[in-house]
Amino acid sequence: MQKGKIEVAERMLRKGLDVSTVAELSDLSIEEVENIKKNLIH
């Protein structure tokens, strides 16, 4: 289930949603979403 949340968060970030919105919609913490965003950039 966590993997699915991460995949959804990645898609939302690629669409340009901000970190706080992605965290709210995916039930992930802001810190988790920021880490996902960093990994997308690298």
Side-chain angles (χ1 to χ4, degrees):
M1 188 147 146
Q2 185 74 4
K3 184 177 181 188
K5 289 181 180 183
I6 291 170
E7 290 173 356
V8 170
E10 287 174 350
R11 280 187 251 141
M12 288 190 280
L13 289 166
R14 285 189 188 109
K15 290 285 186 180
L17 273 74
D18 63 279
V19 170
S20 61
T21 301
V22 173
E24 180 182 342
L25 296 175
S26 65
D27 288 329
L28 296 169
S29 71
I30 289 178
E31 184 177 90
E32 289 172 307
V33 176
E34 287 174 343
N35 285 333
I36 293 166
K37 187 175 183 176
K38 286 179 193 172
N39 289 333
L40 287 177
I41 295 169
H42 297 290

